[in-house]
Amino acid sequence: MNFENILLEELEPGIFLLTINRPKVFNALNQATVAEIKRARDLLDANPQARVLLLTGAGSKAFAAGADIKEMHNMSGIQGRDFSQEGLKVFRSLETLPIPVIAVVNGYCLGGGCELAMSCDWIIASENAFFGQPEVNLGVTPGFGGTQRLPRLIGRGRTMELTMTGRQISAEEAKDWGLVNHVYQQGELMEKALETARDIIKKGPVALELTKDTILRGQDMDLDNACALESKAFGLTFSTEDQKEGMSAFLEKRSAKFHGK
Ligand code: CAA
């Protein structure tokens, strides 16, 4: 896998790690990095062995400190719009990758970095992580989904505050606000992420995929339609061998062995 700005590795069977690898610039997201994230995402989508993706930043300082300011500095309005549209498209494709994706936030998680983390299924963070949407300090708005995903996660008032003050919040405060699920000491962050990934790959892949899809599609629907979607997903699982295996294993008091069909 030939990348310049990211690393993609299989840590253990089925568990992949994508690392934004520009530590000298706090893993700032330039156009090439965004394109490589898309390429990695597509590789995983095409790989039936891929079961969980962990996403992190290289080094001990940053997950990603935002879109690359040096690269954006002289962009025209049209170039800015195109960069935003590309980022939005790539992050949405990451969000809808049919396997669980966990953001493992190991430092600054700002602007486009925070928007990248929010495109994952959930976020875990180290104690030294900081979150924020500081675009207003640069005279721009968030451009990779911050004005839309943040209010869905932490509510309107808190989003208004973060985006209008540019204030950074600590990992603990981000957890308090519902942006982060768990906070760990920096040295144990990746091991905790791996523990979770190892647990997830024991579950039925079809059930995981349908659960994720139903949550993502349902959150922007009215409740009746969203619940109808859920019952269809539930029904569909009964056509799988995994459902028979999962329920038989429970009744026979043994561990289930799922095969994703
Ligand atoms: N783009 C480009 N380079 C960046 C960067 C970014 N977003 N963030 C950090 N860097 C670079 C710095 O320029 C610096 O490089 P040099 O050593 O070559 O000077 C290096 O990373 C280290 O940064 P600092 O010296 O500033 O380190 P610090 O510890 O003093 O501060 C920081 C760390 C608070 C993260 C600070 O770097 C910072 O505020 N970064 C910018 C954060 C930001 O504004 N992000 C939003 C970007 S806009 C955006 O993301 C739009 C969107 O929604 C799509």
Side-chain angles (χ1 to χ4, degrees), residues 34-247:
V34 171
E36 288 188 3
I37 292 171
K38 175 73 165 74
R39 209 146 55 79
R41 179 258 171 237
D42 289 347
L43 278 172
L44 294 171
D45 197 19
N47 179 356
Q49 310 307 323
R51 298 290 316 282
V52 180
L53 174 62
L54 307 175
L55 181 52
T56 196
S60 57
K61 295 280 175 57
F63 174 78
D68 191 318
I69 299 167
K70 199 168 172 193
E71 189 180 70
M72 288 186 294
H73 177 225
N74 285 320
M75 278 184 181
S76 67
I78 298 296
Q79 287 170 327
R81 182 203 58 188
D82 289 352
F83 185 37
S84 167
Q85 283 181 348
E86 193 53 28
L88 286 164
K89 201 167 70 188
V90 171
F91 287 13
R92 182 65 176 156
S93 76
L94 182 69
E95 186 169 45
T96 55
L97 187 67
I99 58 172
V101 182
I102 304 173
V104 183
V105 173
N106 54 323
Y108 287 109
C109 184
L110 303 173
C114 189
E115 291 163 318
L116 177 61
M118 287 190 289
S119 303
C120 300
D121 296 331
W122 69 91
I123 302 173
I124 63 171
S126 56
E127 285 170 336
N128 65 321
F130 283 93
F131 294 79
Q133 295 291 156
E135 287 88 346
V136 74
N137 295 330
L138 303 167
V140 296
T141 65
F144 290 166
T147 61
Q148 303 309 311
R149 287 197 180 87
L150 202 51
R152 284 166 167 77
L153 287 168
I154 66 173
R156 196 182 74 157
R158 285 169 168 168
T159 300
M160 292 285 188
E161 181 186 331
L162 280 193
T163 53
M164 290 189 190
T165 64
R167 179 165 88 82
Q168 294 177 20
I169 56 173
S170 68
E172 275 303 335
E173 198 170 0
K175 184 174 157 214
D176 231 37
W177 283 14
L179 182 60
V180 164
N181 283 17
H182 304 284
V183 179
Y184 301 109
Q185 287 173 10
Q186 189 166 30
E188 62 172 5
L189 179 68
M190 192 47 74
E191 187 50 35
K192 292 289 183 187
L194 264 171
E195 273 174 25
T196 305
R198 286 181 194 127
D199 187 36
I200 291 171
I201 60 171
K202 294 184 202 138
K203 317 296 178 195
V206 179
L208 286 172
E209 178 179 342
L210 287 172
T211 299
K212 175 168 175 171
D213 184 67
T214 308
I215 292 169
L216 284 177
R217 287 181 197 278
Q219 69 183 354
D220 293 321
M221 286 179 173
D222 65 85
L223 191 61
D224 282 345
N225 280 309
C227 287
L229 185 69
E230 180 179 284
S231 66
K232 286 182 175 54
F234 183 68
L236 188 57
T237 59
F238 285 79
S239 67
T240 65
E241 289 173 18
D242 282 354
Q243 176 268 331
K244 305 289 176 274
E245 165 63 9
M247 294 196 179

